[in-house]
Amino acid sequence: MNTIITRFPPSPTGYLHIGGARTALFNWLWARKNAGQFVLRIEDTDEARSTKESVDAILESMEWLGIDWDDGPYFQTQRYDIYNEHIDRLVEQGHAYYCDCTPDEVDAMREEAKAKGLKPMYNGKCRNRGLKKGNNTVVRLKTPDTGATIVDDIVKGSTAFQNSEIDDFIIQRSSGVAMYNLAVVVDDISMGINTIIRGDDHLVNTPKQILIYQALGASLPVFGHVPMVLGSDKARLSKRHGAMSVGEYKKMGFLADALINYLVRLGWSHGDQEFFERQELIEKFDLEHLGRSAGMFDMDKLYALNAKHIQKKKPAELGNDLVPHLADLGIEAQNDAFTQGVIETLQPRSKTLVEMAQGAIFYYRDEIEFEEKAAKKFFKPETSDLLNKCADALEELADFSQKAQEEVFKNIMEETGLGFGKIAQPLRVAVTGTTVSPGIFEMFIALGKEKTVQRIKKAAQFCAAQGE
């Protein structure tokens, strides 16, 4: 069996969005599943709209997602000579011809056909004129007049396109620049691409591309056209549905593995399984279970899946991803034992890394500011004695484990007659400044004995000052 070679050909006229990322993912997974090759090709022939900024953003997004490529990136603007060589060959072999019909003439042909109830198209006027290349000539492919071009699609099945409705379409502009369909086919042939998975918006181009393959005497690749991703209202995906660039999801605190997991499930299934780790996706991905119906983008599902991926990761793995989000909040942190301890306390309750970073702020502050409402409720003058008692008992511990802490509070509860909640809430506010935090014991362990005791004593001083 030939080596599987797939490709992803983004146009650098904007950032990498969800639909493009999913296309890249399907092709990448199939290549990795089969120990094949994944080629990256930048289709930048729209030179007016293509930018280096977009190229850089696409590459950065793919690197963040972990979709690596084995060959490329190639740039179509650097391959014009290759396209022209193939076009010249098609003309020489009689598969294509020069045409000097003006745009107005072609428009008139289309209107005439339309008036007769036919499909508006070029009528082949220059097909047998034997014109030579001129300043205003385009090159058209000579397409069959009869029969049908069959698209055998692994997702949609076979679709027949009547050749009588495919005109002799242009493959080279009068400027000498190759048209999209010609460039794509020449690229795929020269790069050995034998499997093409793409959005079904490309299906209309496929019969024309097949005719170019045939004219060039090349074997056809496997085609798979997957339905577009839609919003929850079944409308074309847009920003109001969450259709942001991949980079935006990174900024929002999503994990690359979670986004990968979510995207693949928008158009592929493996039974009822929803959660996949990356290596598992590579092992289980197949073409037979690519969906025939459009995937519905659901932000709530993405958040839920992201939370599961956060919970499954080791703190050391999350550290490198969390540190930049802490930096965005003005916190200088390293992926060290302290930060990993902080992460462990926040993993069960964080849907995103942004949420985790916000929840981690109090760990890194030198001074804790008490929320006014929380302080008013829990910091009475008489609370000072309780907080000092807790601080002194914790400070004496040689072993700062949860078990040792639990014993301390058991004794304080017996001594004071207070329930654990009456003790824990003032301590929570003392250490975090708020009434919401991870569990008391795990939080103390992550913060460390010195900082924990120091904060409780300062809170005790604050309480005492309320009675002055």
Side-chain angles (χ1 to χ4, degrees):
M1 181 179 176
N2 293 334
T3 300
I4 294 294
I5 305 177
T6 66
R7 46 69 152 180
F8 176 55
S11 175
T13 55
Y15 300 123
L16 181 62
H17 289 271
I18 287 299
R22 188 187 65 159
T23 296
L25 174 61
F26 286 158
N27 285 281
W28 179 81
L29 284 171
W30 189 236
R32 294 290 170 263
K33 166 74 175 283
N34 293 281
Q37 291 186 312
F38 176 69
V39 178
L40 178 61
R41 183 172 73 228
I42 307 297
E43 296 190 343
D44 59 343
T45 52
D46 186 349
E47 296 187 52
R49 297 172 60 220
S50 297
T51 66
K52 184 180 184 302
E53 179 187 15
S54 293
V55 172
D56 292 344
I58 289 169
L59 298 182
E60 182 180 325
S61 292
M62 291 184 67
E63 287 169 356
W64 175 66
L65 287 171
I67 300 178
D68 56 336
W69 51 94
D70 306 295
D71 203 6
Y74 293 99
F75 292 82
Q76 285 191 327
T77 51
Q78 299 171 8
R79 296 171 58 80
Y80 287 146
D81 289 346
I82 299 173
Y83 307 144
N84 291 337
E85 287 174 12
H86 285 75
I87 292 168
D88 290 344
R89 191 201 314 165
L90 288 171
V91 172
E92 289 169 6
Q93 295 176 348
H95 296 300
Y97 59 91
Y98 292 107
C99 169
D100 64 0
C101 293
T102 66
D104 287 342
E105 288 179 296
V106 175
D107 286 342
M109 294 174 195
R110 289 172 174 162
E111 288 300 319
E112 183 180 350
K114 191 175 179 180
K116 295 178 180 178
L118 302 174
K119 184 173 181 178
M121 54 195 293
Y122 175 72
N123 66 11
K125 175 182 176 181
C126 295
R127 186 170 192 161
N128 298 311
R129 291 176 63 193
L131 295 176
K132 301 296 182 183
K133 186 174 184 178
N135 291 333
N136 296 310
T137 56
V138 299
V139 177
R140 292 180 179 273
L141 189 76
K142 192 179 290 184
T143 61
D145 294 322
T146 59
T149 297
I150 309 296
V151 178
D152 288 319
D153 191 288
I154 56 173
V155 177
K156 294 182 174 296
S158 293
T159 305
F161 293 84
Q162 297 303 312
N163 290 330
S164 59
E165 296 188 356
I166 304 174
D167 62 4
D168 290 353
F169 56 91
I170 297 172
I171 58 175
Q172 185 185 56
R173 296 184 179 93
S174 58
S175 63
V177 175
M179 295 292 285
Y180 167 78
N181 283 319
L182 184 286
V184 166
V185 172
V186 169
D187 282 339
D188 287 337
I189 292 172
S190 62
M191 295 173 190
I193 307 301
N194 52 29
T195 307
I196 296 174
I197 306 169
R198 58 190 179 188
D200 60 7
D201 55 326
H202 286 280
L203 183 60
V204 294
N205 294 318
T206 307
K208 292 182 178 181
Q209 292 173 7
I210 287 176
L211 292 173
I212 296 172
Y213 274 102
Q214 293 171 343
L216 290 170
S219 300
L220 295 180
V222 171
F223 287 107
H225 292 88
V226 293
M228 304 291 282
V229 179
L230 302 179
S232 55
D233 56 0
K234 297 186 179 181
R236 190 180 180 92
L237 194 62
S238 65
K239 285 187 177 181
R240 67 190 174 89
H241 301 112
M244 301 164 289
S245 70
V246 168
E248 287 299 314
Y249 289 96
K250 180 182 179 181
K251 290 179 184 176
M252 289 171 67
F254 288 97
L255 294 177
D257 281 351
L259 190 55
I260 286 283
N261 185 167
Y262 185 70
L263 288 180
V264 78
R265 285 291 291 113
L266 279 178
W268 173 83
S269 62
H270 184 77
D272 296 328
Q273 185 173 346
E274 293 288 344
F275 182 92
F276 294 88
E277 293 183 329
R278 186 177 298 251
Q279 188 56 41
E280 188 180 13
L281 279 176
I282 292 172
E283 293 169 0
K284 293 183 176 178
F285 184 76
D286 58 15
L287 302 184
E288 290 77 14
H289 291 92
L290 287 172
R292 292 192 175 195
S293 57
M296 304 294 175
F297 192 87
D298 186 329
M299 280 296 293
D300 289 338
K301 286 187 177 180
L302 177 55
Y303 277 115
L305 200 55
N306 197 58
K308 289 183 180 178
H309 276 272
I310 285 175
Q311 291 164 16
K312 289 280 288 185
K313 294 280 187 185
K314 294 179 180 177
E317 292 176 297
L318 288 173
N320 289 331
D321 293 319
L322 180 65
V323 165
H325 291 286
L326 290 171
D328 290 341
L329 297 174
I331 296 170
E332 292 185 17
Q334 304 294 324
N335 183 15
D336 52 19
F338 179 76
T339 294
Q340 290 164 23
V342 169
I343 289 171
E344 193 170 356
T345 69
L346 297 168
Q347 275 179 280
R349 53 185 58 81
S350 299
K351 289 185 179 179
T352 69
L353 292 174
V354 167
E355 193 175 294
M356 181 180 283
Q358 291 168 341
I361 292 175
F362 76 88
Y363 282 109
Y364 295 91
R365 291 286 185 246
D366 291 330
E367 296 291 333
I368 294 298
E369 293 184 8
F370 307 120
E371 285 183 358
E372 184 178 348
K373 187 176 179 181
K376 186 175 182 180
K377 182 175 182 180
F378 294 105
F379 283 178
K380 309 295 184 183
E382 59 270 21
T383 310
S384 177
D385 289 340
L386 174 64
L387 291 176
N388 277 321
K389 187 184 295 292
C390 292
D392 291 342
L394 290 170
E395 192 170 25
E396 291 176 4
L397 289 177
D399 170 21
F400 204 59
S401 65
Q402 178 168 335
K403 185 177 181 180
Q405 291 180 41
E406 287 174 347
E407 190 63 30
V408 162
F409 288 107
K410 181 181 177 182
N411 294 335
I412 292 175
M413 289 164 63
E414 290 177 354
E415 183 180 340
T416 62
L418 296 173
F420 183 68
K422 296 287 187 181
I423 301 171
Q425 277 300 78
L427 287 172
R428 195 183 306 277
V429 177
V431 172
T432 70
T434 73
T435 57
V436 180
S437 78
I440 286 288
F441 303 122
E442 57 181 319
M443 179 172 63
F444 287 177
I445 291 170
L447 192 61
K449 183 170 77 171
E450 183 178 347
K451 285 186 177 180
T452 298
V453 171
Q454 182 185 60
R455 291 184 183 187
I456 296 172
K457 286 185 175 180
K458 284 190 174 180
Q461 292 172 3
F462 180 91
C463 292
Q466 302 310 300
E468 296 177 359

